[in-house]
Amino acid sequence: MIAHNRIYLKDAVEGMRSLPDASVDLIVTDPPYGIASSSRTTIREGKIVTTKKAFGMWDTFPHPLNYDAFIIQVLCECYRVLKPGGALYMFTASEQNAYFIRKAAQRGFTFRRVLCMQKKNPLPSFSKSNWRSSFDLCMYVVKGPRARTFNFISQHDCINVFRYAIRQAKLTTHPTEKPLAFIKRLIEVSSNPGELVLDPFMGSGTTAAAAKALGRNYLGFETHRDYVQMARKRLKGGAVRDTQRSKATA
């Protein structure tokens, strides 16, 4: 029996298959991008670090077609568990797979907008042979012709570009954590207090923390045991770093 306000150590598709049809009000999620390479450059505790391995097995797929099939499975289950008019916010790699995910989602969902998270302090170009990448994209689609809920906050807040600083937004050691303030905004706009917010790729628990802070119920799945423990600790208030910085970014 799947209960609300829990994070389960479970595969995203398997977890969603255990949920009834039309039982979720909102989905906010950041799935693997399928672009892992033999090395990766990122920021850890304010320092630029190049690692020899990808983020983890969850970010690797034997072939691009395996990734495409996986994302289609995820989208099908998201569509099934969402209530009519429910929204799905799905993050994508800025260039590599955004177009595919958008077209795949439009086979059932209604496309509404692309949202952009612009980094004020993107990583430098070490090779100096290409443009620096300074943004991530998030697809906003709904189940049906129109959104059941859209709480327009203000002209200033309801724009599709969110600017943030990488170091200031990061609250945990998870390598792909999204800014808490941005996730809060998505949940505040596309759901109401007491409703259920699902994240099938829960990671460090940002979606759950945002939902809890806004009086929503949450539910999540995650295959990485360490991340499940990280998210549970965060929700219990065990991480001082999270608590202090959440207040600053909310």
Side-chain angles (χ1 to χ4, degrees):
M1 180 67 177
I2 299 293
H4 292 180
N5 300 318
R6 301 284 176 84
I7 298 174
Y8 293 89
L9 183 65
K10 191 180 285 281
D11 172 78
V13 174
E14 178 188 351
M16 285 192 286
R17 284 175 177 166
S18 65
L19 301 179
D21 295 352
S23 58
V24 173
D25 297 285
L26 169 65
I27 300 175
V28 179
T29 196
D30 184 22
Y33 293 168
I35 57 173
S37 60
S38 57
S39 65
R40 184 175 296 276
T41 301
T42 186
I43 290 182
R44 290 181 181 173
E45 298 181 354
K47 297 180 180 180
I48 298 172
V49 177
T50 299
T51 58
K52 293 184 179 180
K53 296 182 179 179
F55 291 141
M57 289 303 297
W58 54 267
D59 194 37
T60 59
F61 293 83
H63 190 277
L65 290 178
N66 294 95
Y67 177 78
D68 293 351
F70 169 71
I71 288 297
I72 289 173
Q73 279 187 307
V74 170
L75 288 170
C76 287
E77 285 304 309
C78 286
Y79 188 88
R80 182 186 65 80
V81 302
L82 270 177
K83 295 178 181 179
L88 164 65
Y89 289 95
M90 180 178 283
F91 290 90
T92 76
S94 55
E95 297 94 357
Q96 291 91 333
N97 58 16
Y99 178 76
F100 163 73
I101 290 179
R102 174 173 173 174
K103 295 302 293 183
Q106 284 181 288
R107 294 178 182 271
F109 290 94
T110 299
F111 172 77
R112 295 293 293 160
R113 190 73 71 198
V114 176
L115 283 67
C116 172
M117 293 196 318
Q118 182 185 7
K119 304 168 188 175
K120 297 179 184 178
N121 55 339
L123 291 172
S125 175
F126 299 101
S127 66
K128 298 182 180 178
S129 61
N130 203 349
W131 299 92
R132 295 169 68 191
S133 178
S134 64
F135 66 91
D136 291 319
L137 298 179
C138 180
M139 298 295 167
Y140 166 45
V141 298
V142 298
K143 181 177 179 177
R146 61 182 60 85
R148 181 169 57 93
T149 301
F150 196 90
N151 302 314
F152 194 90
I153 303 171
S154 69
Q155 298 293 345
H156 176 269
D157 291 323
C158 287
I159 59 174
N160 67 335
V161 177
F162 177 85
R163 300 184 72 239
Y164 75 105
I166 297 174
R167 289 187 295 274
Q168 294 176 2
K170 204 159 172 54
L171 306 177
T172 74
T173 58
H174 192 284
T176 63
E177 180 191 345
K178 294 300 182 285
L180 177 63
F182 183 61
I183 303 301
K184 276 187 173 182
R185 187 171 300 178
L186 302 182
I187 293 174
E188 184 177 9
V189 167
S190 290
S191 70
N192 298 305
E195 293 184 340
L196 178 61
V197 181
L198 168 68
D199 187 346
F201 301 93
M202 184 58 83
S204 65
T206 303
T207 299
K212 182 178 179 180
L214 293 170
R216 276 69 166 171
N217 294 304
Y218 64 85
L219 176 61
F221 305 110
E222 173 57 50
T223 58
H224 197 299
R225 187 178 300 275
D226 289 345
Y227 295 156
V228 171
Q229 293 174 350
M230 180 188 296
R232 289 173 177 171
K233 180 180 178 182
R234 183 177 182 180
L235 290 165
K236 290 179 180 178
V240 176
R241 184 182 175 191
D242 287 9
T243 304
Q244 292 174 340
R245 290 198 178 181
S246 295
K247 293 178 180 177
T249 57

